[in-house]
Amino acid sequence: MKKLIILACCILFIGLIGFVGVIGVLASIGNDYKNTSDKAIESNIKISPIETPIETPIETPIETLSQKNAVKAAKNYLSFMSFSRVGLIKQLEFDGYSNQDANYAADKIGLN
C-alpha cells in the first residue's frame, strides 16, 4: 500500500511537471506571437519627431522711390479724373515717369 501511494505521488508529480511545462510552452508561443505582431505593427507605423513648421518670409518686391511716386501721382489723378489704363500710363509718362514705373502704378492701383 505504501508503494502504491508513492507511485501515485510520483505520477502526480510527473503530471504536474508536465502540465507546468505545457503551460510554459504555450505562454512562450503567446509571447512570440505578441512580439511578432508588435514588430509588424511597429514596422508599419513610422513615427517622426514633431517638427515645427519653418516660416519662410514672403518676399515682397521692394518698391523703388520712383514707383512710389508714380503710384501717388496715379492716385492723385484718379481722385479727380477718370482714366483708362492706357490713358493713365500715357499721363504718367508725360509727367516724366518711365514706362515700367507707369505700368507698375497702374497695376498697383488695380486698373485693368
Side-chain angles (χ1 to χ4, degrees):
M1 178 81 166
K2 202 174 188 184
K3 287 185 181 183
L4 190 57
I5 292 176
I6 293 175
L7 182 61
C9 286
C10 286
I11 292 174
L12 185 61
F13 182 71
I14 292 172
L16 184 61
I17 290 176
F19 180 73
V20 170
V22 169
I23 295 296
V25 168
L26 291 176
S28 154
I29 291 171
N31 284 340
D32 287 344
Y33 175 75
K34 183 178 183 268
N35 291 339
T36 304
S37 67
D38 288 347
K39 287 178 186 175
I41 290 170
E42 289 172 6
S43 68
N44 288 333
I45 299 173
K46 295 187 175 24
I47 299 173
S48 62
I50 297 174
E51 297 177 8
T52 55
I54 299 172
E55 293 184 23
T56 55
I58 299 172
E59 294 183 27
T60 55
I62 299 172
E63 191 175 57
T64 65
L65 181 60
S66 181
Q67 289 171 333
K68 286 180 186 180
N69 289 337
V71 170
K72 186 176 178 181
K75 286 180 180 178
N76 186 35
Y77 279 123
L78 291 175
S79 70
F80 64 88
M81 293 180 129
S82 294
F83 279 96
S84 67
R85 177 181 173 80
V86 173
L88 179 64
I89 290 171
K90 285 183 180 182
Q91 180 62 46
L92 291 172
E93 287 175 340
F94 179 79
D95 290 345
Y97 294 101
S98 69
N99 183 271
Q100 289 94 356
D101 290 342
N103 275 293
Y104 175 83
D107 290 340
K108 180 82 175 196
I109 60 175
L111 281 182
N112 293 328

